Amino acid sequence: FFSGDRLVLEAENPAADLSKHLEAFSERTDTHGGVRTLTHYALLFGFPLFLYLAGFAMVEGVLLCLRVPGATAAAAVACLAIGLLALVPVTRVAADFQAGEAPALAAKDSPARLVAGIKGYVENNQTICSLGFYHALVAHPDPAVRYWTARALRTSPCPQTLDDLVALAGDPHRNVQCKALESLGYRGGPRARDTVLHVLRASDDWYVQMYAYRAARRLGWRQEW
């Protein structure tokens, strides 16, 4: 494996564990890991701190203009209360996952809530094709929703599941396409095999080819040299 003219990694049989080699290659050629780490912690700690300070300054300024006694302490208490109130929506979403139950979903829910709900169905081994708006998830405009729908269909018993996975295997978003190929590899069957092999031979995207290759191998296909 080369990066430009520099040899980065050598492997006698890269196809045996391609993902491991690609991960090692990515780590050795990554020149911006420190910047990403710094950005992560800046967002994790710096951004909330900035919001608190900005809110504190605004509340304190208003209280000082109104000549409220103990304006600084009152501003601190007010900002703390605002922060606690901001956690209420988070706790409501978290409550949906208690007792091992997938959350109730509706077609009008936001993409983030739909993704969280589909993950809940996957974790609890429940099928999403029983939802009344199931077909809207397959054709949802947000790729993250389609991605997790493809994952949830891996073990779905509904008869239309295979048709939907075949459609998602041709999705314009590569991540959705890869997850659909992976699910087809787990489901098995002649149609799944034909779909995976068609993508493997027709796609010019190496990332999609890699997932198609893995799915084909899982389905019993062996490459002929």
Side-chain angles (χ1 to χ4, degrees):
F1 293 81
F2 286 85
S3 176
D5 296 330
R6 180 170 66 93
L7 176 63
V8 177
L9 181 68
E10 291 184 271
E12 294 182 1
N13 186 16
D17 197 352
L18 185 58
S19 61
K20 179 180 178 180
H21 295 310
L22 291 175
E23 183 178 356
F25 177 83
S26 177
E27 291 177 354
R28 297 183 186 183
T29 56
D30 184 9
T31 59
H32 302 290
V35 175
R36 280 197 299 276
T37 301
L38 178 63
T39 303
H40 169 75
Y41 285 106
L43 292 173
L44 188 63
F45 298 107
F47 185 62
L49 181 60
F50 167 77
L51 289 179
Y52 176 82
L53 293 175
F56 178 84
M58 292 176 61
V59 174
E60 185 184 36
V62 172
L63 295 178
L64 288 174
C65 291
L66 296 176
R67 301 181 182 277
V68 175
T72 300
V77 173
C79 289
L80 178 62
I82 293 172
L84 292 175
L85 288 174
L87 293 177
V88 173
V90 178
T91 56
R92 287 180 178 175
V93 173
D96 290 333
F97 292 93
Q98 293 180 356
E101 297 180 356
L105 297 177
K108 63 181 180 180
D109 285 337
S110 67
R113 179 168 173 79
L114 288 174
V115 167
I118 296 171
K119 287 182 181 179
Y121 275 81
V122 171
E123 292 170 359
N124 292 289
N125 296 318
Q126 296 175 314
T127 176
I128 64 169
C129 61
S130 60
L131 296 172
F133 59 97
Y134 157 71
H135 289 293
L137 298 176
V138 178
H140 198 278
D142 191 289
V145 175
R146 301 197 306 275
Y147 174 93
W148 279 101
T149 299
R151 170 60 182 87
L153 294 179
R154 179 179 298 181
T155 57
S156 174
C158 299
Q160 71 270 27
T161 296
L162 186 57
D163 292 336
D164 294 327
L165 278 177
V166 170
L168 289 171
D171 195 273
H173 197 285
R174 68 188 321 208
N175 289 350
V176 178
Q177 189 177 11
C178 290
K179 187 54 66 173
L181 291 169
E182 185 179 77
S183 294
L184 286 170
Y186 278 91
R187 292 191 66 87
R191 190 180 179 195
R193 177 189 170 102
D194 291 343
T195 302
V196 168
L197 290 178
H198 172 73
V199 174
L200 177 62
R201 292 162 178 157
S203 177
D204 58 356
D205 187 322
W206 71 267
Y207 192 71
V208 174
Q209 287 178 341
M210 180 178 69
Y211 273 82
Y213 178 81
R214 289 177 179 174
R217 291 293 297 268
R218 179 176 289 275
L219 292 169
W221 175 78
R222 294 295 179 266
Q223 186 173 3
E224 297 178 359
W225 296 92

